[in-house]
Amino acid sequence: MNQNWQIEVTKRLFLMLGACIGIGLLTGKTILVLLIGCGLYLLWTLKNVIELIRWLETAASSSDPVDPPNGHGLWGEIFDASYRLMRKQERARDRLKAVINRFQESTSALRDAVVLTNDQGQIEWWNPAAEHILGLRNPDDAGQVITNLIRHPRFLKYFENKAYQDPLLLPSPVSTEKKLLVSITLYGPENRLLVARDNTRVFQLEQMTKDFVANVSHELRTPLTVISGYVETLLDTLELMLTAPPPVLSKALNQMQSQSDRMANIIEDLLILSKLETADSLQDLVPVSIFDLLHDVAADARTFSGDRSHSIEVSCKAETAILGNEKELRSAISNLVFNAVKYTPDNGNIKLKWVVELNTGYLSIKDNGIGIDPQHIPRLTERFYRIDKSRHASTGGSGLGLSIVKHVLLRHDATLLIKSRPGRGSSFTCHFPQSRLVVKEAA
Ligand code: ADP
């Protein structure tokens, strides 16, 4: 661009005014000549404005670049600058188009369904795989709210809660036989990128593993009951014998009895776990009195502690019940409290506490026992996770207790927080959301 165009324009304006004044002075009609000069200048400007508008209109309706009109002085500069700006925007648009095309080509080649929704949850774009995985129809479903098309209640909750850290397993809207793993990423102001993968094969394999474990556990129950029965009978017979039996025999029988008891515990826990994993979400919820539950479990734990004389206290500061399943909650709390007894030395302290703060219910079981090294805490709720094998052998644990706790809490929309310091003790706190709390009615 000519850097001195302002000087040029000013110069020309003064020249024109000077000429008008000169002619005016010569003719003696300065005002008239000035008026005519300004009028002509106005007409010239008007002509250029009209040309500019026409050019912009033609350029807007044409896909090819349109040359600017010829202009002089200031108008020439305006036409050139506008033309350069137009070309720059065209190049940027072409670059953007190429990027979008590349993105669409690569997502079209994907076997996973990809769907983009706007801040209202309306579908803006999807790839071809979304048509056979999610059953979207082109072009009818463009602009539809996605929760009207994927109507599963779990999807609706997942979509609205915006807690997308973990993916969601869903039956496919096209066929209930198919299982989808859906994950959502938020971007921009509430826009969402949804990716759905066909997870049927993995789901079937997991299902087969669960069925296998449940069947094996079930099948082992009967032979084990027979073995335990015979061991018990043999032990009773030894006591009735007139001559003292060889010490090795009674030692072996006692060990057989304790190991078969342990095995029976493992089988029972495996069966409970597989029931929890395969059961539908909780139906027929009832308000479970935490006050009664904690006192019952504490009484059982005192019996379990026996001569080890643990002090087991209950503090229940809220008149709130939990909406859920009494049997499952009892099993989870018992596991936590019995663990506290198992892993706290004799005469140790165990505290069971229930409080409601800021609409969340906190049920905690604290002990001053042997504690847990922090590195083990994230894996404690895995099936058969062992801190060290000797602990299992000495306590007779199945390694499934905390797994059961995790599943029960999951079915009650609750989470487990574990804090512990080796040698100082542990606390296991269950967090129950407001939706699970019911205020007890006054008697
Ligand atoms: P187990 O049947 O072995 O007790 P769990 O799943 O209930 O299995 O617990 C897993 C492991 O977590 C236990 O083996 C134990 O090492 C550790 N643990 C659980 N509760 C406590 C506790 N209160 N104090 C110390 N360690 C604990």
Side-chain angles (χ1 to χ4, degrees):
M1 185 187 276
N2 181 3
Q3 296 296 324
N4 296 324
W5 65 271
Q6 291 104 325
I7 301 171
E8 278 298 306
V9 168
T10 322
K11 236 198 246 168
R12 280 181 199 182
L13 201 64
F14 276 112
L15 260 175
M16 188 205 74
L17 286 175
C20 287
I21 292 169
I23 298 170
L25 286 176
L26 283 175
T27 53
K29 291 182 176 154
T30 320
I31 303 285
L32 185 67
V33 177
L34 262 177
L35 275 175
I36 292 170
C38 288
L40 287 173
Y41 188 76
L42 210 65
L43 278 176
W44 178 72
T45 308
L46 209 63
K47 172 191 155 266
N48 282 305
V49 170
I50 291 168
E51 275 185 13
L52 175 68
I53 292 172
R54 276 206 194 121
W55 173 58
L56 290 177
E57 279 176 353
T58 327
S61 59
S62 159
S63 53
D64 296 322
V66 179
D67 286 340
N70 286 325
H72 301 283
L74 172 65
W75 284 99
E77 289 296 338
I78 290 175
F79 292 149
D80 286 350
S82 311
Y83 184 67
R84 276 195 297 275
L85 195 69
M86 220 180 250
R87 296 288 296 158
K88 202 170 151 190
Q89 278 179 346
E90 259 165 29
R91 279 195 297 275
R93 199 181 54 203
D94 288 347
R95 266 202 309 275
L96 222 64
K97 245 193 200 163
V99 172
I100 292 173
N101 282 345
R102 264 209 311 280
F103 168 75
Q104 290 193 339
E105 272 166 24
S106 53
T107 45
S108 297
L110 271 182
R111 276 189 288 169
D112 298 343
V114 180
V115 182
L116 299 181
T117 62
N118 63 13
D119 53 353
Q120 309 291 316
Q122 291 163 320
I123 301 178
E124 288 190 326
W125 180 87
W126 64 87
N127 70 343
E131 293 177 13
H132 65 263
I133 292 183
L134 297 170
L136 298 187
R137 288 159 306 144
N138 197 4
D140 299 3
D141 292 338
Q144 295 274 2
V145 176
I146 193 159
T147 43
N148 289 343
L149 300 175
I150 307 175
R151 304 184 73 96
H152 198 287
R154 277 214 311 274
F155 179 74
L156 186 69
K157 202 169 156 197
Y158 182 68
F159 192 82
E160 284 174 355
N161 278 359
K162 294 182 196 159
Y164 301 138
Q165 305 89 311
D166 297 318
L168 172 76
L169 191 69
L170 268 191
S172 152
V174 179
S175 145
T176 44
E177 309 272 288
K178 277 191 178 176
K179 301 290 171 210
L180 303 181
L181 199 65
V182 178
S183 52
I184 296 182
T185 309
L186 270 174
Y187 69 96
E190 307 270 305
N191 293 10
R192 291 170 175 89
L193 166 77
L194 179 147
V195 179
R197 165 172 302 174
D198 187 345
N199 205 49
T200 316
R201 183 86 193 112
V202 179
F203 178 78
Q204 280 169 346
L205 285 174
E206 279 176 1
Q207 205 58 38
M208 273 164 59
T209 319
K210 282 176 195 164
D211 290 350
F212 174 75
V213 172
N215 289 338
V216 168
S217 315
H218 195 74
E219 291 303 321
L220 284 176
R221 231 181 185 180
T222 320
L224 192 66
T225 317
V226 175
I227 294 171
S228 311
Y230 276 120
V231 171
E232 217 171 308
T233 316
L234 285 172
L235 276 169
D236 289 347
T237 319
L238 283 194
E239 271 179 26
L240 297 174
M241 276 168 69
L242 297 174
T243 51
V248 67
L249 187 63
S250 53
K251 191 180 166 202
L253 283 173
N254 277 319
Q255 277 217 350
M256 279 163 80
Q257 192 183 37
S258 79
Q259 289 304 320
S260 53
D261 285 350
R262 189 167 163 225
M263 209 161 151
N265 278 341
I266 296 176
I267 289 174
E268 265 330 295
D269 282 354
L270 272 175
L271 285 170
I272 294 174
L273 203 54
S274 77
K275 246 192 218 154
L276 287 172
E277 279 178 340
T278 47
D280 293 332
S281 55
L282 281 176
Q283 310 284 330
D284 306 326
L285 305 176
V286 289
V288 179
S289 162
I290 296 304
F291 181 89
D292 295 345
L293 199 56
L294 288 187
H295 280 92
D296 281 1
V297 175
D300 292 347
R302 280 184 204 110
T303 315
F304 178 61
S305 164
D307 296 342
R308 298 182 60 210
S309 314
H310 292 96
S311 137
I312 302 174
E313 285 170 30
V314 177
S315 148
C316 198
K317 290 193 178 149
E319 285 289 286
T320 324
I322 294 176
L323 211 53
N325 179 298
E326 213 261 347
K327 209 170 145 203
E328 289 186 13
L329 286 171
R330 180 182 290 269
S331 135
I333 300 170
S334 299
N335 266 309
L336 294 174
V337 179
F338 280 50
N339 270 351
V341 175
K342 279 195 276 180
Y343 301 110
T344 301
D346 298 359
N347 306 312
N349 295 318
I350 296 164
K351 288 196 175 91
L352 285 58
K353 190 171 165 191
W354 170 240
V355 280
V356 176
E357 276 168 15
L358 299 171
N359 296 327
T360 303
Y362 298 94
L363 198 162
S364 64
I365 288 99
K366 252 187 198 171
D367 62 57
N368 62 349
I370 58 175
I372 305 160
D373 210 307
Q375 77 190 66
H376 298 292
I377 291 179
R379 300 195 56 194
L380 278 187
T381 54
E382 287 174 20
R383 285 172 181 219
F384 296 117
Y385 184 75
R386 294 167 170 211
I387 291 178
D388 68 77
K389 287 180 187 161
S390 56
R391 270 196 197 187
H392 279 261
S394 60
T395 60
S398 68
L400 294 168
L402 291 180
S403 238
I404 294 175
V405 173
K406 184 181 96 175
H407 276 87
V408 170
L409 293 185
L410 213 67
R411 284 162 65 74
H412 287 80
D413 301 329
T415 49
L416 178 68
L417 183 77
I418 307 172
K419 284 188 187 160
S420 187
R421 281 169 68 192
R424 302 289 292 272
S426 316
S427 82
F428 290 76
T429 310
C430 315
H431 295 206
F432 290 88
Q434 190 183 14
S435 55
R436 288 285 174 174
L437 306 180
V438 232
V439 179
K440 262 205 223 161
E441 282 174 25

